Amino acid sequence: MDTMISVWTVVEHVRVASGAAELAIFTAILYWFFTSSRVADMLEVVGERVGGWCGRDASLRQAVRPRRRNHNDLYSKLDAEIASRTSALYRVKEGPVVPPPQPPSRPPAGLACARCAPLSRDSWQDPKAVDSGTVINILDIGRQTFANGGVVSRYLCDLAQCLNLVKYDYKDVVPSVANDERFQRAIEDTTQEELRNANGDLQHSDGLDRESNRYFEVRRRVEARAMKVLLDISSAMSNNVLRLVAWLCHKAIRRIAGGGCSTRSECVERLRRAKAAGLPLVFVPLHRSHFDYILVTFTLYLTGLRPPLVAAGDNMRIPFFGWILRGCGAFYIRRRVDGSEYHGDPVYKSALRAYILNSLGANNNLEFFIEGGRTRTGKPQPPKAGILSVIMDAYLDGTIDDALLVPVTLNYERLVDGSFVREQLGMPKQMETFWSALRGIWRTLNTDHGGIRVDFNQPISLKELVTSFQKYKYLKAPVERCLTPPNNNLAVNLDKQILYNHSHSSLYGADVSTDHKMMVEAIGRHLVYDAAQSTALMSTNVVAYALLAERRGGCGWAALRACVEARGGALLADARDLGYSGDANAALAHALDMLGRGLVRRDSRQVRAQNTIAAALELSYYANALVAHYAAPAILATALESIVCQQGPDEETVRHGDLVEESLQLCEILSQEFILCPPCHRIEERMLDAINSLLASDVISQVQVNGGLDEQRWSRRFAQTLDDDDEDRSDPTRLIKYRVSKSPEAIAERRRLLLTIRPLLEAYAATCRRLASGPQKHLVTTTLDCLTEEFTQNRMPYGEAVSTDAIRNCLKLMRQWGVIEMYTENRERMVRLVPPFDNEQSLNEVCANVYKFNMDTPILNATK
């Protein structure tokens, strides 16, 4: 009994104590609630609302203020702050509006062609948003995402981002490719071909059993070889490898790219909207560096987009690094799949076609470099339309309903792979090996390459492009024979001739029509043109162009800065995106540091390009991004100078018809070097636009003659009336004439445009002088030696003219003109002069069409 009483006593004490504790806690909460500044602010808001409803002006805080005299200083500060804000708002409303600082304005990012893809141009844009030109550094995405995370995620933001990247399901398409009808048909055809080569006709064999056994033996051997080819092609996309490479790229790019790796935010948003359409995205980058393979995938993966399968050359299939690329989506293709007995493998071609078609059918994104290999000159190269023709087949035969083609541009302030000077001087290309890759990576990681830009154009519907190109009459009825210069129908046939001469690919197949080939070629050239026009121009591009085309003789720092600043402003006026911003002095100093003293010589008085062939070639690589932009007005200015030199000093005017005809002839000569306009535009239209630009810059002025105003209006609409049915109508522009200005500004502009393409014409003229039958390698070598001697003897000031690319392109032109033919003999490429051009006089008559544009003019002599 005593025990029970003791227990109840303890319980009663505990209950009393717990009640006292609860009362203390409740009292503390009430004290905090009525003394907290946040609660006071809340009570003030509630009081103001209640007072407003009741018609009173006093707030709850003001009502309770007399009871809280110890906080008078706090409330006086709050009243002062409110008064300050009120007066500030009054000044803002009454005074002038000062806008906040804005980022550098940029032109719209890579819009689709308004003429042949108007639906694509309007489909992937947000009508409520305005493209502000915002550029984001993809290396900062992880830092921004995990800025408010834990301590570990903030310090390991790159790793945290890579671990949180989206996992994608990549279907293995090898089994479906192995069962593909075309692939099996190629195996069967190859089996029958091998049986015929081994035994002749099967009916001469000893018996049916032996015939059957022999067939199955050959069939098994061919199938084994075919499966090996297929496995060599196929990729092995792995999410784990992608995450590992993404993390390594974070570390590597932060080390080698002091300016970061940037892309335009609007480009990414457009791709996200296009992704929702459920169509495969086909990325078509221009190829500048081996780093492009990783960089495009890295950019897409970090911005939340599905990484594509990448067509890589089989030269990249090197130990370890080839495995890494395969895990990132690379599938390997041969550098050549036709053109010789060693590469014309029907099993390989059918395996590659089937792999691409089945990958698209599995809704995988695809990426291939439409130029084929890396550009050695810095200019966009003509397209290699083989893989594009396979994608076209996939659309035409219903394998895919449509595909969205996305031109991609990459640019580096300093090229990651180093220079291509050795190859431009005729030395053989060094094949990639494991140790060369290691040396290249080590050298790259210890060099600052400045900023990198990766930009994506608007996705373009393949279906829309096909429909549009079928409507252009001037792309039909292809030229069946080469046009030898001079040709009076050049304005009519030039557009068709360019497409016809380039529309050859090893993956087309024998049953593809010429019209189909030309349409694929036209689409490929359009993609290359669009990508080139949207490439962000770096400070090194602008400075290199200024040193080679505007200040070749050297100049002081102030003059070069003014030149670079003016050129940047002109490019912005032409709607080109600049990959740099800020003070002109800082941009110039940064560009010169990136180029290095091996390319540019600097002292206290002047800055000039180094006077060596190697320096000129490497500097021209950077400058050629602007050379491609100014190619059309440079061609027109060169044609104008040729006419002026032929007419003599007494003639002061130039006829419109002569100027257009000469410029079109030069366009044909340089058709291997530049894509002057998209195929949906006529080249003559482009030349008329160039005439208008020279008129606007006062290089030429129109001479007023009778009816000149009507003729000028007609000339601006001339391109719209260039139909084959109107050949007989008279040309009202025959009376239009132009007077060449002799002002210092006009002469400087003419000199700049002439120097833009003059090195190419020097190389072409030297090649024409050395034309002879024999091995192509010997012809290229002798031409290089001739150009080198001309440069070392100071008879030719353009070191960048010593280029194998220009020489080989001139040989392609001569083959198109029917002057030479090329063939293979004992595994060596040979050149043969075709009659009647094996006669020296006839050869000189044709080559004179090149020589006349390489004229000796006082404007250039003044700069030597």
Side-chain angles (χ1 to χ4, degrees):
M1 189 67 178
D2 293 337
T3 304
M4 293 294 298
I5 293 174
S6 300
V7 170
W8 282 110
T9 303
V10 172
V11 170
E12 186 67 17
H13 285 300
V14 170
R15 187 179 64 81
V16 173
S18 62
E22 291 176 359
L23 180 62
I25 293 173
F26 179 72
T27 304
I29 292 175
L30 288 178
Y31 176 80
W32 173 85
F33 183 81
F34 285 104
T35 58
S36 173
S37 59
R38 294 183 179 180
V39 175
D41 293 339
M42 181 186 69
L43 292 176
E44 181 183 10
V45 172
V46 174
E48 288 176 351
R49 295 291 176 87
V50 173
W53 295 336
C54 299
R56 293 183 292 105
D57 296 331
S59 67
L60 183 61
R61 173 174 287 174
Q62 292 173 346
V64 300
R65 181 175 299 174
R67 301 182 182 180
R68 305 180 60 187
R69 299 183 183 276
N70 56 334
H71 293 289
N72 281 344
D73 293 340
L74 175 62
Y75 286 115
S76 62
K77 292 180 181 179
L78 291 175
D79 290 339
E81 184 178 352
I82 293 172
S84 174
R85 290 179 180 176
T86 304
S87 61
L89 289 174
Y90 176 80
R91 288 195 302 271
V92 168
K93 291 180 180 179
E94 297 297 328
V97 178
V98 179
Q102 299 294 327
S105 61
R106 289 182 170 85
L111 298 181
C113 178
R115 179 173 293 190
C116 59
L119 296 178
S120 298
R121 188 183 180 94
D122 299 333
S123 295
W124 317 117
Q125 297 191 96
D126 186 357
K128 299 180 181 179
V130 179
D131 186 1
S132 61
T134 305
V135 175
I136 58 174
N137 187 353
I138 61 174
L139 299 178
D140 293 337
I141 295 177
R143 293 178 176 179
Q144 296 169 358
T145 303
F146 298 97
N148 298 322
V151 176
V152 176
S153 62
R154 286 202 305 271
Y155 283 97
L156 301 177
C157 56
D158 295 343
L159 181 60
Q161 183 193 10
C162 294
L163 292 177
N164 284 276
L165 290 173
V166 180
K167 286 186 177 181
Y168 296 96
D169 182 22
Y170 292 97
K171 178 183 177 182
D172 184 12
V173 298
V174 171
S176 56
V177 174
N179 297 322
D180 187 85
E181 180 182 355
R182 293 185 180 182
F183 184 58
Q184 290 296 326
R185 189 186 310 130
I187 293 176
E188 179 64 25
D189 293 343
T190 304
T191 301
Q192 297 294 339
E193 181 69 22
E194 290 193 7
L195 286 173
R196 284 193 294 269
N197 293 337
N199 300 324
D201 197 349
L202 291 178
Q203 58 183 324
H204 296 292
S205 47
D206 295 337
L208 293 178
D209 293 339
R210 183 174 181 181
E211 175 185 333
S212 178
N213 293 335
R214 178 63 177 166
Y215 169 80
F216 286 113
E217 179 183 349
V218 174
R219 173 83 182 194
R220 284 194 297 270
R221 187 169 65 249
V222 173
E223 284 182 344
R225 187 170 72 245
M227 289 304 299
K228 182 179 184 304
V229 167
L230 179 58
L231 293 176
D232 288 342
I233 291 175
S234 61
S235 70
M237 183 79 85
S238 168
N239 285 286
N240 293 329
V241 175
L242 281 172
R243 291 181 175 185
L244 173 63
V245 173
W247 180 75
L248 293 175
C249 282
H250 269 101
K251 303 306 177 185
I253 296 177
R254 289 190 195 280
R255 182 178 179 89
I256 70 175
C261 180
S262 304
T263 188
R264 297 184 67 157
S265 58
E266 180 61 23
C267 297
V268 177
E269 293 302 322
R270 285 196 307 234
L271 290 178
R272 287 172 179 166
R273 288 191 287 272
K275 175 186 175 182
L279 296 173
L281 296 174
V282 180
F283 298 96
V284 189
L286 300 184
H287 201 4
R288 291 184 175 272
S289 166
H290 284 319
F291 200 37
D292 299 346
Y293 293 106
I294 296 293
L295 205 53
V296 176
T297 299
F298 176 65
T299 305
L300 291 171
Y301 199 29
L302 291 187
T303 52
L305 296 165
R306 183 186 180 94
L309 302 180
V310 186
D314 57 357
N315 60 313
M316 298 302 298
R317 190 164 51 195
I318 54 181
F320 179 72
F321 298 105
W323 175 82
I324 290 290
L325 290 178
R326 192 186 291 272
C328 292
F331 63 96
Y332 293 105
I333 61 176
R334 297 177 185 173
R335 307 299 296 179
R336 295 179 59 194
V337 295
D338 209 348
S340 72
E341 57 180 335
Y342 305 101
H343 298 88
D345 186 356
V347 172
Y348 173 79
K349 289 194 287 186
S350 64
L352 179 58
R353 289 172 62 91
Y355 185 81
I356 295 174
L357 294 178
N358 282 273
S359 296
L360 292 174
N363 206 31
N364 285 321
N365 295 335
L366 188 68
E367 175 190 338
F368 70 96
F369 296 96
I370 195 167
E371 297 172 292
R374 295 168 294 167
T375 173
R376 265 60 177 175
T377 62
K379 299 192 305 290
Q381 303 298 300
K384 304 293 189 300
I387 295 181
L388 182 60
S389 69
V390 176
I391 299 172
M392 180 79 75
D393 288 343
Y395 163 69
L396 294 177
D397 64 16
T399 303
I400 56 175
D401 296 330
D402 195 1
L404 299 179
L405 306 177
V406 185
V408 184
T409 65
L410 301 98
N411 204 1
Y412 305 82
E413 281 190 330
R414 185 174 182 179
L415 190 61
V416 175
D417 290 354
S419 66
F420 297 100
V421 173
R422 295 183 70 262
E423 297 176 38
Q424 289 297 304
L425 293 177
M427 301 179 188
K429 177 182 180 294
Q430 292 181 337
M431 295 301 296
E432 291 79 4
T433 63
F434 176 78
W435 297 111
S436 66
L438 279 182
R439 287 193 298 269
I441 292 174
W442 177 259
R443 183 172 59 251
T444 299
L445 290 176
N446 288 278
T447 307
D448 183 12
H449 294 81
I452 301 174
R453 278 289 295 271
V454 183
D455 292 315
F456 303 90
N457 281 26
Q458 219 168 12
I460 307 172
S461 167
L462 176 61
K463 180 179 180 180
E464 186 178 15
L465 284 178
V466 171
T467 304
S468 297
F469 278 108
Q470 289 173 345
K471 299 177 182 177
Y472 297 124
K473 295 181 180 179
Y474 58 88
L475 297 181
K476 298 181 179 180
V479 180
E480 297 297 340
R481 63 182 180 86
C482 297
L483 297 177
T484 55
N487 190 290
N488 294 328
N489 285 332
L490 204 57
V492 178
N493 293 328
L494 183 57
D495 300 278
K496 296 184 292 185
Q497 179 196 4
I498 290 176
L499 294 181
Y500 179 76
N501 288 331
H502 290 83
S503 59
H504 302 286
S505 174
S506 57
L507 291 179
Y508 278 126
D511 56 342
V512 178
S513 65
T514 303
D515 289 339
H516 178 84
K517 292 181 181 180
M518 291 181 64
M519 183 169 62
V520 175
E521 179 70 24
I523 293 175
R525 293 177 75 86
H526 206 312
L527 295 175
V528 173
Y529 178 84
D530 289 346
Q533 290 298 309
S534 61
T535 300
L537 300 174
M538 299 300 192
S539 58
T540 49
N541 301 129
V542 179
V543 172
Y545 178 80
L547 290 172
L548 291 180
E550 299 187 64
R551 302 289 179 177
R552 179 173 282 273
C555 63
W557 177 277
L560 183 59
R561 180 196 60 198
C563 179
V564 171
E565 190 172 10
R567 186 55 45 210
L571 290 169
L572 286 175
D574 292 340
R576 291 301 301 266
D577 188 9
L578 298 183
Y580 65 96
S581 60
D583 181 65
N585 275 317
L588 176 58
H590 176 71
L592 294 177
D593 289 339
M594 287 290 102
L595 294 173
R597 295 189 177 272
L599 303 184
V600 182
R601 185 172 64 190
R602 286 181 283 175
D603 54 36
S604 58
R605 292 188 298 177
Q606 73 169 0
V607 182
R608 64 172 299 167
Q610 292 284 7
N611 192 30
T612 63
I613 293 177
L617 284 172
E618 189 170 352
L619 205 60
S620 68
Y621 183 96
Y622 296 99
N624 279 339
L626 271 71
V627 169
H629 175 75
Y630 288 113
I635 286 174
L636 188 72
T638 304
L640 174 66
E641 199 67 24
S642 175
I643 297 174
V644 170
C645 292
Q646 293 175 26
Q647 291 181 164
D650 296 334
E651 184 66 37
E652 295 182 353
T653 60
V654 175
R655 293 179 63 250
H656 173 88
D658 293 340
L659 182 58
V660 172
E661 182 180 354
E662 291 291 303
S663 62
L664 289 178
Q665 288 188 21
L666 187 52
C667 287
E668 183 188 14
I669 292 172
L670 298 179
S671 62
Q672 296 285 346
E673 303 288 346
F674 304 108
I675 299 177
L676 297 173
C677 62
C680 57
H681 292 69
R682 302 293 301 273
I683 293 182
E684 191 163 0
E685 290 182 66
R686 187 69 185 94
M687 290 299 103
L688 293 177
D689 291 339
I691 289 177
N692 290 333
S693 68
L694 293 188
L695 288 170
S697 58
D698 295 327
V699 173
I700 57 177
S701 59
Q702 185 172 341
V703 178
Q704 295 295 331
V705 295
N706 294 332
L709 183 59
D710 293 336
E711 289 147 4
Q712 183 179 8
R713 292 173 180 173
W714 189 92
S715 66
R716 293 176 180 174
R717 303 191 304 269
F718 188 55
Q720 301 177 4
T721 62
L722 291 175
D723 294 331
D724 295 340
D725 299 335
D726 298 332
E727 292 180 359
D728 296 334
R729 64 185 298 179
S730 59
D731 183 5
T733 62
R734 67 187 184 277
L735 299 178
I736 298 179
K737 293 184 178 181
Y738 304 106
R739 178 176 288 110
V740 182
S741 175
K742 296 182 180 180
S743 66
E745 294 80 7
I747 292 176
E749 181 69 6
R750 286 165 58 194
R751 181 188 299 121
R752 177 183 73 84
L753 293 175
L754 289 176
L755 287 173
T756 298
I757 61 173
R758 182 58 181 239
L760 287 173
L761 295 175
E762 291 281 357
Y764 274 54
T767 306
C768 291
R769 289 193 295 267
R770 294 287 173 175
L771 276 179
S773 299
Q776 178 181 339
K777 183 178 181 181
H778 176 72
L779 178 58
V780 173
T781 302
T782 55
T783 307
L784 283 174
D785 293 341
C786 174
L787 288 168
T788 303
E789 184 179 0
E790 291 284 318
F791 179 78
T792 54
Q793 298 296 327
N794 292 325
R795 294 193 295 267
M796 189 266 296
Y798 316 109
E800 61 270 33
V802 188
S803 168
T804 57
D805 267 59
I807 297 172
R808 295 179 187 276
N809 287 338
C810 182
L811 293 177
K812 293 178 183 178
L813 175 70
M814 293 295 112
R815 184 177 59 179
Q816 291 177 10
W817 281 357
V819 176
I820 62 173
E821 65 179 6
M822 296 183 180
Y823 62 98
T824 302
E825 184 178 286
N826 297 326
R827 301 188 183 183
E828 187 175 16
R829 195 70 167 165
M830 305 293 290
V831 175
R832 179 191 297 125
L833 289 173
V834 177
F837 303 110
D838 52 355
N839 179 273
E840 184 177 357
Q841 181 179 356
S842 300
L843 180 61
N844 288 333
E845 289 177 359
V846 173
C847 293
N849 293 278
V850 177
Y851 298 151
K852 68 179 180 180
F853 296 111
N854 196 42
M855 62 280 162
D856 190 13
T857 172
I859 292 181
L860 294 179
N861 290 336
T863 65
K864 290 183 180 179

